[in-house]
Amino acid sequence: MRPLFSEVIMEKKRVVVGLSGGVDSSVAAHLLIEQGYEVIGIFMKNWHDTSVTISDECPWIDDSNDALQVAEKLGIPYQTIDLSTQYKDRIVDYMFNEYEKGRTPNPDVLCNREIKFDIFLDAALKLGADFVATGHYCQKGEIEVDGQKVYQLLAGADQNKDQSYFLCQLNQDQLSKALFPIGHLQKSEVRAIAAAQDLITADKKDSQGLCFIGKVKLPDFLKQQLKPKSGDIIEIDADYTPYSVKSEFEDEKERLIALTSPHVYAPENGKIVGQHNGAHYYTIGQRKGLGVGGTKEALYVIATNTQTNHIYTGQGDHHPGLLRPGLFIPNDEVHWVREDLKMAVGEQKKYSVRIRYRQPLVGATLHCEPEGIYIIFDEDERGVAAGQFAAWYHDNELIGSGVIS
């Protein structure tokens, strides 16, 4: 099915574009104007809580000014919407809560589900919008299944910038009202279009940091709510096995549970090699920020325990503690973008899976059980972290996703 780069315009449709002050949303707005849409630009102000400092700078002010200049250049209406209260409630508080539990949330996925395609979408619809548009590098398809219209979430044409993963929690209703005008383009083409239109954002660097907030060093951000607490950094030898490896299992369920259970360690399994300032600041696979030297290979975090305040580490990026044969997603965290492809209990299906942005897709088998979905990788996967999102694809289409337990 060929991706939809725009909807067929029978009459002039109104589109609200989330202008972020970056080049991608700027070009998205320009392309929509060219396609004959009535375009309105809105900047989302997601943070101004002075009780929690993001950085010494105020990037959102610069971004808002750039968005305004783009709107003026394109000749479209522009306004700012303050979503900071909702953003704090739905994203920031959730982040703090997850990190405190020793889990690793993905605020960008949450921002799209909870802010851009929920609160922002509702605000756009109140303005009489037919669609909302963003500068995401992904594409939207449309097919018919059993006489019903079904929308597809497809990877962006630029494989280095594909952002479909960040939209893995969208549903059919949200997709029906979404447009992704630059999804069929390469990043270089987007910048070329911006330069040709003399847009102020043409050479602007891509934003780094939390969704629609801007520059932020996550550890510094977390420390403002999660207080430092000194604890031991324990190194686990590569020869140590954290659980009893069985060659035979009593039944298939036992096998699935064993293959998807996270590694568990105790202090006596290794040696103390340093001190940290809080287990809740660290995540599986992290290398920087440990402050431990003198090892033959770099140390990586292989497990954390926020209850005992221990960090477990291993040398080298191939340490067995970094590798997992599978993961589990409980029922209440399973989400199907393609509801028509929802698996039945007892069903198994092959998909390509990724557990973080820009990670290459890897082969895996999904097992649907009464309590949730077990994902068993074709080859052991590195850096599986509870709280992150796993997304599964068929070819270039994102089918579903869920939060890793």
Side-chain angles (χ1 to χ4, degrees), residues 53-54 65 94 121 130 142 203 268 285 318 345 351 367 384 386-387:
T53 306
I54 297 293
N65 290 334
Y94 177 84
L121 173 59
D130 298 286
E142 184 183 311
D203 297 318
E268 59 267 24
H318 294 292
V345 172
Y351 278 114
H367 300 254
V384 177

Side-chain angles (χ1 to χ4, degrees), residues 31-51:
L31 293 176
L32 289 168
I33 294 169
E34 279 199 330
Q35 293 169 16
Y37 289 100
E38 176 192 352
V39 178
I40 299 172
I42 295 184
F43 178 85
M44 286 176 260
K45 183 179 179 182
N46 282 355
W47 193 262
H48 58 80
D49 184 353
T50 56
S51 68

Side-chain angles (χ1 to χ4, degrees), residues 33 136 204 337:
I33 294 169
H136 282 104
K204 188 175 181 179
V337 177

Side-chain angles (χ1 to χ4, degrees), residues 19-92:
L19 284 181
S20 66
V23 64
D24 298 327
S25 60
S26 302
V27 172
H30 162 70
L31 293 176
L32 289 168
I33 294 169
E34 279 199 330
Q35 293 169 16
Y37 289 100
E38 176 192 352
V39 178
I40 299 172
I42 295 184
F43 178 85
M44 286 176 260
K45 183 179 179 182
N46 282 355
W47 193 262
H48 58 80
D49 184 353
T50 56
S51 68
V52 180
T53 306
I54 297 293
S55 71
D56 293 331
E57 304 174 44
C58 293
W60 73 265
I61 295 177
D62 294 334
D63 290 339
S64 177
N65 290 334
D66 289 344
L68 173 59
Q69 290 190 58
V70 167
E72 290 177 342
K73 181 73 175 180
L74 296 176
I76 61 174
Y78 170 85
Q79 68 182 69
T80 297
I81 183 172
D82 189 342
L83 301 178
S84 55
T85 299
Q86 297 95 324
Y87 189 89
K88 182 180 184 301
D89 291 343
R90 297 198 186 190
I91 310 299
V92 177

Side-chain angles (χ1 to χ4, degrees), residues 181-213:
I182 65 168
H184 63 294
L185 298 173
Q186 301 293 307
K187 181 74 177 193
S188 57
E189 294 177 296
V190 170
R191 289 203 180 277
I193 292 171
Q197 297 301 314
D198 195 28
L199 299 179
I200 192 174
T201 55
D203 297 318
K204 188 175 181 179
K205 292 182 179 180
D206 291 342
S207 62
Q208 302 292 327
L210 299 180
C211 169
F212 265 80
I213 284 184

